[in-house]
Amino acid sequence: VSTQSTGPTKRAAAMIALAFLFLWVTFATADADVCFLKYQIGDAHVYNFDGHADVTHVTANGEDVNRLQTNYKLHMNTEVTLVGVDDGLLHFEMRVLDASYVDATLEKLAAAHQQQFSAAPDQLERDAAYTKKMAEHNLYFVQTCQGEVVRIFHAAAEDPAILNIKKSFLQTISLKMSDDKATEHVVEHHDNHGKRAVNYPY
């Protein structure tokens, strides 16, 4: 009868393998353990979001080609509140406080001719109606500790045009921060208009 020992040699090898596994997991999760978003449940932050769009309308009638330039200005105040934390992910609620959306074509033409521009008499009513439409549904999103927005939850009844504006805002606060001690970081953003590189100092 022969016997084979499973004594100190195999136990030592198993301990070494476990040590290497522990070190690998530690290095693999080092960045994930750094949380740049220091929020408490219920913390709320208000953001002012401004944007503009220049749209060129081209119409053709035979050999005649007409181009009409339209300019739009958007302003939105939104409040973002941390409502929960789950497995290192931060869950936020976003609600619109007020908003305005105007056709700035006449304003731009007036500036080009050095003339004073006056807003439409019913602009306040328009803003109130637009705010009501923007604030009809709250938006919920999930953000990692490094700042990247990874999931968005919206009402099925949300107008796609309104939803795209809210998503555009979220693009401005979504980034992957790194703990590499550098003073400037270039992050590639993806949105409805394609890719762009943005430099963040932090």
Side-chain angles (χ1 to χ4, degrees):
V1 177
S2 63
T3 61
Q4 185 174 3
S5 174
T6 58
T9 301
K10 286 195 172 183
R11 283 200 297 270
M15 292 298 292
I16 293 172
L18 286 174
F20 275 111
L21 178 62
F22 174 77
L23 289 174
W24 180 82
V25 171
T26 300
F27 284 118
T29 59
D31 287 341
D33 291 336
V34 179
C35 193
F36 293 90
L37 305 182
K38 308 295 185 181
Y39 297 150
Q40 300 295 324
I41 301 294
D43 282 355
H45 301 268
V46 175
Y47 295 87
N48 296 322
F49 177 69
D50 292 288
H52 72 274
D54 298 327
V55 182
T56 301
H57 307 273
V58 180
T59 59
N61 183 11
E63 296 182 356
D64 296 329
V65 178
N66 298 316
R67 286 180 171 82
L68 174 63
Q69 186 79 22
T70 306
N71 311 101
Y72 299 98
K73 290 174 61 177
L74 166 71
H75 174 75
M76 179 177 66
N77 285 332
T78 183
E79 183 181 72
V80 173
T81 305
L82 180 65
V83 295
V85 179
D86 179 30
D87 195 23
L89 296 174
L90 292 83
H91 297 249
F92 290 94
E93 177 187 44
M94 169 187 164
R95 67 186 188 96
V96 175
L97 303 177
D98 61 76
S100 62
Y101 185 77
V102 298
D103 183 346
T105 306
L106 295 179
E107 181 179 358
K108 190 172 182 178
L109 288 174
H113 292 84
Q114 298 181 346
Q115 297 178 354
Q116 186 175 359
F117 172 79
S118 298
D122 62 343
Q123 187 61 53
L124 290 178
E125 289 80 3
R126 292 183 187 181
D127 290 348
Y130 190 66
T131 295
K132 182 179 179 180
K133 188 174 182 180
M134 288 283 289
E136 185 176 2
H137 302 287
N138 290 346
L139 191 72
Y140 297 86
F141 65 94
V142 179
Q143 197 168 19
T144 67
C145 272
Q146 286 69 47
E148 183 183 12
V149 175
V150 292
R151 287 196 290 273
I152 298 174
F153 304 91
H154 63 87
E158 184 81 282
D159 185 317
I162 298 296
L163 180 60
N164 282 338
I165 292 173
K166 294 178 179 180
K167 285 183 176 179
S168 295
F169 162 71
L170 291 181
Q171 283 288 340
T172 67
I173 64 171
S174 176
L175 67 156
K176 294 180 181 178
M177 290 185 281
S178 172
D179 189 31
D180 58 7
K181 309 305 180 185
T183 57
E184 293 187 347
H185 305 77
V186 177
V187 178
E188 186 176 69
H189 279 283
H190 302 255
D191 57 27
N192 294 341
H193 304 289
K195 301 178 182 179
R196 67 186 187 283
V198 181
N199 187 28
Y200 289 95
Y202 62 83

